[in-house]
Amino acid sequence: MASSPQNIKALFEPANKAHAIIEAVFFCEFHQPFERSVIDRLLTLEHDETVKADLPGFKRVEGGGIAFSAKDSAFAIQRTVDMEPVGVLLEHFQPNGTADWVVRVMPKVVSIHCLDYTTWSDVWERVQKYFNVVFQKITPSQTKVVGLGLKYIDHFKFNGQPEEYDPKLLFSPSSEFLHGKALTSSGYRWHCHSGWFETIDNAEPDRECLNQVNIDATGTSGGHLTKIEHSMVIQGFEADTEYLMVQSEVSDTALAKAMNYLHDSNKNVLRNLLTPEMIKRINL
């Protein structure tokens, strides 16, 4: 027999005491790779003492390899492409050496990974600072921002016995984001992946948000784990990085407004997915 909802604390545990977030990823997508002049400016961050004080880890991201061409219906090596820098990786570390903040600049994406989530206000303050560090090196650039995104990864561990497992202690049976078999399949291995586009109120006509929610419930050597990965991308942009950081009349940036919207969207999805008990437990 499944345990009652009041036992949810003993059965399903969020990854952290006040929330279940193990990683939050903030990212900007660009319509074409950065020019070499931008990469060269990014490489100077390795010797920037102000940046190193907060992000001491620095690595070059290199690209290259072998180029192929089709000849006589067979692939033949045409030439070897020299490895060259195409991006950078900056990291902040915990005392045990584990990275808890990662700033990654790839040819068409800038992403900031928070692996030690606390509160939205504290995390966003730091994310905005890191975006500023990168954007100052990207600007000026010919490439434009075409998408702004945020991804949350939440983990919930099941601590009960196999016969006690009941996904309805974690998920609301009435959620619109779960298919009909998600909560009734036998055992504790199941998944539910879905996606949709959402109109953004008061936004420009071509701007919409792509949502992807992937739920995976699996058994591991450490027990049963349920992962919720919610990725959101606002599409329809064609802006430079200067536009994203310019203060508006209400002292807010276009980037901050977009990320706040995505943060609220994630909370709304989780409120629809989870039981009232778990919603209260993780402070939603």
Side-chain angles (χ1 to χ4, degrees):
M1 179 183 296
S3 298
S4 59
Q6 58 263 32
N7 292 328
I8 189 171
K9 183 174 181 179
L11 292 180
F12 280 100
E13 290 283 345
N16 300 283
K17 290 183 178 180
H19 61 81
I21 302 165
I22 65 161
E23 183 176 5
V25 185
F26 303 74
F27 56 95
C28 295
E29 299 175 338
F30 295 80
H31 85 291
Q32 66 182 26
F34 299 120
E35 310 96 282
R36 181 52 195 262
S37 60
V38 171
I39 301 301
D40 288 341
R41 292 198 297 270
L42 288 165
L43 292 175
T44 65
L45 292 172
E46 182 177 9
H47 306 292
D48 188 318
E49 294 300 326
T50 302
V51 174
K52 287 172 65 175
D54 204 25
L55 296 164
F58 182 92
K59 296 177 184 177
R60 297 184 178 205
V61 178
E62 296 188 328
I66 299 175
F68 295 89
S69 64
K71 292 182 179 180
D72 301 324
S73 300
F75 284 100
I77 296 177
Q78 183 180 32
R79 61 189 173 89
T80 301
V81 180
D82 293 335
M83 299 295 286
E84 60 180 22
V86 296
V88 298
L89 186 72
L90 300 99
E91 297 174 291
H92 180 275
F93 303 99
Q94 296 179 342
N96 64 5
T98 303
D100 52 4
W101 282 89
V102 178
V103 178
R104 180 179 284 113
V105 183
M106 300 299 286
K108 295 174 63 176
V109 179
V110 174
S111 59
I112 299 173
H113 305 248
C114 171
L115 297 106
D116 186 23
Y117 198 94
T118 50
T119 65
W120 170 256
S121 59
D122 289 345
V123 167
W124 173 243
E125 181 179 359
R126 198 160 174 175
V127 168
Q128 192 159 225
K129 179 174 69 173
Y130 292 160
F131 269 129
N132 269 320
V133 167
V134 174
F135 287 172
Q136 286 172 7
K137 300 300 182 181
I138 291 176
T139 306
S141 173
Q142 296 176 1
T143 185
K144 301 292 185 181
V145 177
V146 293
L148 296 175
L150 174 59
K151 178 168 72 174
Y152 277 106
I153 301 175
D154 293 83
H155 279 187
F156 298 88
K157 185 179 180 181
F158 177 70
N159 294 318
Q161 299 300 314
E163 63 272 14
E164 295 180 295
Y165 179 77
D166 183 355
K168 292 189 290 295
L169 294 179
L170 178 61
F171 293 100
S172 169
S174 62
S175 173
E176 62 181 326
F177 302 119
L178 295 172
H179 60 69
K181 293 289 290 181
L183 303 184
T184 60
S185 59
S186 61
Y188 47 70
R189 292 181 300 164
W190 58 276
H191 69 269
C192 180
H193 294 183
S194 60
W196 68 95
F197 285 96
E198 195 169 81
T199 302
I200 302 175
D201 294 337
N202 303 317
E204 296 181 21
D206 295 334
R207 222 165 266 184
E208 57 186 358
C209 183
L210 170 62
N211 285 261
Q212 293 175 293
V213 175
N214 296 338
I215 302 171
D216 293 278
T218 59
T220 68
S221 58
H224 174 268
L225 185 69
T226 300
K227 180 175 76 172
I228 303 174
E229 184 174 304
H230 183 199
S231 180
M232 303 154 281
V233 185
I234 299 176
Q235 301 177 333
F237 274 95
E238 189 172 348
D240 55 34
T241 52
E242 288 179 302
Y243 163 77
L244 295 180
M245 304 309 295
V246 170
Q247 297 289 325
S248 70
E249 294 180 0
V250 292
S251 298
D252 211 352
T253 65
L255 181 62
K257 289 180 179 179
M259 292 301 177
N260 275 301
Y261 166 82
L262 296 176
H263 171 60
D264 289 340
S265 294
N266 172 256
K267 290 197 296 185
N268 290 335
V269 167
L270 290 179
R271 287 174 182 142
N272 186 277
L273 273 173
L274 302 174
T275 61
E277 292 80 14
M278 186 56 75
I279 290 172
K280 182 178 181 180
R281 177 125 190 246
I282 60 175
N283 299 302
L284 286 178

